[in-house]
Amino acid sequence: EPEVTQTPSHQVTQMGQEVILRCVPISNHLYFYWYRQILGQKVEFLVSFYNNEISEKSEIFDDQFSVERPDGSNFTLKIRSTKLEDSAMYFCASRSGGLIPEQFFGPGTRLTVL
Amino acid sequence: AQSVSQHNHHVILSEAASLELGCNYSYGGTVNLFWYVQYPGQHLQLLLKYFSGDPLVKGIKGFEAEFIKSKFSFNLRKPSVQWSDTAEYFCAVIPILTGGGNKLTFGTGTQLKVEL
């Protein structure tokens, strides 16, 4: 069964450093998403991406964040200058086109900013 | 903006007890509704979903949920829980918007612990 994969599973970085979180969505899917879950809190939407552009973003997704689909298979989330409060689990999700909005989630990347 | 409320943050049950987790959402239009489960150390998995039709939906592992439109609710139920149901459960909503990106809005989650 196809699944969304994410790498790395755990990333530790120093405050102010850039990180890139990688996702490989399910191959025939057209819509891509990033969510995050700060420890003990709910899962929050960050950004959605369709047709090579951002379709919606939350207020969390400020200028420090960017997304890219560089090669038709990977979907990346970049944080330019990490802050302590960026420490969270980051989930990638994808869905196919059409009217069924079911999203399939990856296993997540735990980002720890020191 | 839509929101999702889960009233029970922590639930402790004995095996074979019945489960009902509450979920209410605030959005006046058409919605798609989901319950996700997150087992310890694992990623989010879809338990069940409601798109349209029969408001009583059945999911995996014996779970079911009932959509009551008049109450803006989508409560999750299981007649007899097992120790392996210990996990965190998230209710989520997608409002059906023309041209919308269909982002999921999640509730705060309910941590279920099932004791032997």
Side-chain angles (χ1 to χ4, degrees):
Chain A
E1 186 176 331
E3 57 183 24
V4 177
T5 60
Q6 289 185 244
T7 54
S9 57
H10 192 186
Q11 173 95 45
V12 181
T13 190
Q14 296 290 325
M15 192 168 56
Q17 295 296 304
E18 174 183 286
V19 295
I20 297 176
L21 310 183
R22 302 180 193 281
C23 168
V24 180
I26 294 172
S27 64
N28 62 346
H29 282 188
L30 301 176
Y31 296 82
F32 313 107
Y33 306 83
W34 283 101
Y35 295 83
R36 79 172 185 191
Q37 184 182 25
I38 294 172
L39 189 64
Q41 299 185 25
K42 65 179 178 180
V43 179
E44 302 172 289
F45 167 78
L46 290 178
V47 66
S48 58
F49 192 85
Y50 170 71
N51 200 25
N52 281 321
E53 60 183 25
I54 291 173
S55 49
E56 188 175 358
K57 60 183 181 180
S58 73
E59 59 191 24
I60 301 168
F61 194 89
D62 62 21
D63 293 344
Q64 292 301 312
F65 291 87
S66 62
V67 289
E68 197 176 34
R69 190 157 158 80
D71 56 12
S73 62
N74 290 285
F75 179 51
T76 62
L77 174 70
K78 182 193 290 187
I79 309 175
R80 288 191 183 80
S81 178
T82 50
K83 307 184 196 69
L84 295 175
E85 54 265 37
D86 293 327
S87 294
M89 182 73 92
Y90 288 81
F91 294 104
C92 173
S94 70
R95 73 171 180 96
S96 61
L99 299 177
I100 306 300
E102 181 178 348
Q103 295 176 24
F104 294 82
F105 282 80
T109 293
R110 180 166 296 286
L111 175 65
T112 302
V113 182
L114 302 175
Chain B
Q2 65 271 15
S3 65
V4 180
S5 299
Q6 290 181 244
H7 318 297
N8 317 100
H9 297 296
H10 291 91
V11 173
I12 302 174
L13 294 173
S14 300
E15 265 205 328
S18 65
L19 170 73
E20 180 159 1
L21 301 182
C23 173
N24 287 88
Y25 65 92
S26 65
Y27 180 70
T30 303
V31 292
N32 293 147
L33 297 155
F34 306 81
W35 276 96
Y36 283 86
V37 61
Q38 189 175 28
Y39 297 103
Q42 296 189 31
H43 60 103
L44 289 162
Q45 298 175 40
L46 184 66
L47 263 184
L48 48 77
K49 55 185 183 277
Y50 171 80
F51 293 149
S52 64
D54 188 345
L56 183 63
V57 292
K58 295 191 184 299
I60 60 172
K61 306 185 181 188
F63 286 91
E64 64 178 33
E66 185 175 11
F67 170 49
I68 303 179
K69 189 174 181 180
S70 61
K71 295 185 177 180
F72 298 89
S73 70
F74 190 56
N75 292 355
L76 180 70
R77 299 194 291 251
K78 186 171 183 179
S80 176
V81 294
Q82 300 172 306
W83 178 80
S84 58
D85 293 325
T86 294
E88 189 153 19
Y89 293 80
F90 294 93
C91 182
V93 169
I94 293 178
I96 303 305
L97 306 170
T98 301
N102 301 123
K103 67 179 184 186
L104 279 161
T105 297
F106 284 85
T108 50
T110 297
Q111 187 69 52
L112 171 66
K113 181 178 180 182
V114 180
E115 297 178 331
L116 295 170

